[in-house]
Amino acid sequence: MSRFDPNYLSRWCKGRWTESPKKGITRFSIDSRKAGSGDMFIAIKAERDGHNFLKQACDAGIVASLVDHEITSSKIPQLVVRDTLLSFQKIAKEHRRQFSGKVIGVTGSCGKTSTKEILKTLLDQALCTKENLNNFLGVPLTLTEVSEEHKFAVIEAGINQLGEMDVLTNMISPNLAIITSIDHSHLEGLQTIENVSAEKIKLWINSSKSCLGIFPEELIQYPSFKKAVSEGRPYIMVKKGRRGKEDQTPDKVFYTISTETNEGGHSSILSIERLGCPPLCISINPLSEGVIRNMVLACVAGWKLGVSDEEIFERLPQYCPSGLRGSNLVGRGRSYVVDCYNANPASMVDSVNYFTLKFRNQPKLLVLGGMNELGEKSQFLHFETGKSIHLDVNDRAILIGGHTREMAKGMVSNGARLDQLVVLEDAEDGRSLIEEFNGPVLLKGSRSFRLEELVPKWAVEVGPEQLEVQC
C-alpha cells in the first residue's frame, strides 16, 4: 500500500517525474545497501555521489528515485529536482504537516538520546529517532516514517555548525521542545557556549508560539533563555530540590533523589513535585545525575501529552541504558560501565561521578578517552575536566588520546598521584592494564577512540541493579 502520493511529492519539491511510479512508495532510503521493495531512493551527493549507486538500489527493489538529473540508463521512475537533499527535506517537512499527532523535539549538548529513549518507554504508539539519525539526513528519514498508526513522534536534533538548527526546526516543527543541557560541545563549529545556547534554543523559539519549552533551570543563565522566558514563551523548568514557599508557580517542577536498600541491593527513589499535585515517588535503578534529570524532563513532557501518574510509575523503572550509552556488563567477577558513544566535559564528569558513587568502597579503574570537537579551548577544557575528577587512594586511570595529557594534569592538581595515572596514545595499549586490574571499570570517551573494543568478549550486558551483586 502506497503511503506517499507521487503527485504530492512532485508538488512539494517542485520536481518532474520521468514517468509515474507503477508501484506504491512506502518509505525512503539513502543507502543502496539498505534499500528494499517499496522504497524511493534518494540520490544524495556527499563524499560519494548517490546517483552512481542507482543501479544497486534498483536491484534491491526500489520503486522510484529522487535525482538531480535523469539517469537515462535506468528504467526506474525518477523525480528530477534541483537539489536532492533540499527536496528530501521539503518532503519531510510537508509530510510532518500532515501528521495529526504530537511531535516532541529533543536537543541538547548531551542527554538527547537517553531522553528520547525514556520518552519511548513512557509513550504509547510513538515513533522515535533510531540510533543517531538526528542530522540533515537522519531527521527527514525519521519524519517520513511517521504514519497514521502513531500518536507521537519523538525527533532528536543534533547539530555541530551554526545555522543547522534552523533547517532541522523547520522540518520538525515540534509541539514540545526539550533542551536537555548546554555545555562545551561541538565548539569547532559552534565556537562558543553562548552560540551553543543560541542555536539549541531555536528548536523551541523558532517553532510555533504555542510550542512548550522544557529545560533544566540552570539554562536560564544564558541570555537566549532569559529572553525567551521574558517574552512569555510557554515553558516548564526542572529544578533539583524541594519547592519553597516562594516558588508557587506551575512553570517549575522540582525533584529529589534518595537512596534506599532493599533485598536486591541499592535503588534510588525519584520524587517529582508539580504545583497542586502530591509528589510522585518512583523506585528506579541507580543512574547518573544527568540521566535522572533527563527522566524528569521526559516525565514533564509525558504529563503534558496525557500520560498518567500510574503509567509513569509503572513504565519509568523499565528504562535501562543500553549500547554504548551507559550500558552495564559483567564477566568473570568484574563489572564494566560502557559509556563511550560520545563525550564532552559535562557528560564526562556525570559518568565519572555516577561510577565513583556506585563503586565507592572498591578500587576503580577509569578508562577515559579524549573529548573531540572542543575547538581552541580543548586543552583548557580537558584540564578543567580532570580537576573535577577525584581518585581514591586505590583507584587508577588510563587516559587515551586527544588532549588527555592535560586531563591528567588536572587530575594531579586535584590530588591524584602520578603512579595512579597512565597516558596512552593508542587504546589497544591499555588492554593488558585493564585485564590485570581487579575491580570495576568505566570506559568513557569520544566515539573515535572506540573504547568499547577494550571490553573483554566474555562480558555480558546486565541491568545496573546487577552490577553490585557481581562485584
Side-chain angles (χ1 to χ4, degrees), residues 365-436:
L365 176 61
L366 309 180
V367 182
L368 307 179
M371 300 176 288
N372 293 336
E373 296 186 63
L374 294 181
E376 295 178 355
K377 290 188 174 181
S378 185
Q379 291 189 23
F380 170 76
L381 291 172
H382 276 82
F383 179 83
E384 290 298 306
T385 301
K387 278 178 60 177
S388 301
I389 296 173
H390 172 73
L391 295 183
D392 289 334
V393 63
N394 293 318
D395 293 346
R396 297 291 183 271
I398 301 174
L399 309 173
I400 299 172
H403 288 120
T404 50
R405 195 169 297 278
E406 297 302 315
M407 189 185 294
K409 293 177 183 177
M411 294 170 75
V412 169
S413 75
N414 192 23
R417 306 187 312 271
L418 290 177
D419 67 328
Q420 291 180 281
L421 307 175
V422 176
V423 180
L424 303 172
E425 290 300 319
D426 193 312
E428 189 60 34
D429 293 337
R431 184 178 299 278
S432 61
L433 297 174
I434 294 172
E435 292 176 354
E436 292 168 2

Side-chain angles (χ1 to χ4, degrees), residues 96 341 425:
R96 182 266 177 268
Y341 185 84
E425 290 300 319

Side-chain angles (χ1 to χ4, degrees), residues 347-367:
S347 67
M348 179 73 75
V349 173
D350 186 55
S351 290
V352 171
N353 287 346
Y354 160 72
F355 181 74
T356 300
L357 183 62
K358 177 76 176 176
F359 301 102
R360 52 190 172 275
N361 296 321
Q362 303 173 56
K364 298 171 288 295
L365 176 61
L366 309 180
V367 182

Side-chain angles (χ1 to χ4, degrees), residues 171-190:
M171 287 187 281
I172 299 170
S173 186
N175 302 103
L176 284 80
I178 300 176
I179 303 99
T180 61
S181 61
I182 300 297
D183 193 56
H184 298 87
S185 64
H186 301 298
L187 294 185
E188 284 185 3
L190 299 176

Side-chain angles (χ1 to χ4, degrees), residues 7 12-13 22 62 90 111 119-120 126 169 186 189 209 213 250 256 275-276 303 335 356 360 380 389 398 413 431:
N7 293 324
W12 288 344
C13 58
K22 299 179 178 60
I62 65 168
K90 289 178 181 177
L119 280 168
K120 184 178 180 180
T169 301
H186 301 298
K209 291 185 177 180
T256 58
L275 186 67
W303 277 315
S335 296
T356 300
R360 52 190 172 275
F380 170 76
I389 296 173
I398 301 174
S413 75
R431 184 178 299 278

Side-chain angles (χ1 to χ4, degrees), residues 266 337 391:
H266 294 299
V337 177
L391 295 183

Side-chain angles (χ1 to χ4, degrees), residues 224-291:
S224 55
F225 283 83
K226 283 183 181 177
K227 184 173 185 291
V229 168
S230 68
E231 291 175 346
R233 290 274 180 174
Y235 71 91
I236 295 178
M237 288 191 292
V238 164
K239 182 176 182 179
K240 187 177 181 182
R242 298 192 180 277
R243 184 183 295 273
K245 292 182 180 180
E246 71 281 3
D247 289 311
Q248 300 304 306
T249 57
D251 53 24
K252 287 186 181 180
V253 170
F254 292 79
Y255 72 99
T256 58
I257 311 163
S258 58
T259 302
E260 70 170 10
T261 302
N262 52 34
E263 293 179 358
H266 294 299
S267 67
S268 297
I269 302 298
L270 173 61
S271 178
I272 311 176
E273 183 185 353
R274 294 161 290 163
L275 186 67
C277 300
L280 178 60
C281 299
I282 311 170
S283 178
I284 59 174
N285 289 321
L287 297 164
S288 75
E289 288 262 357
V291 173

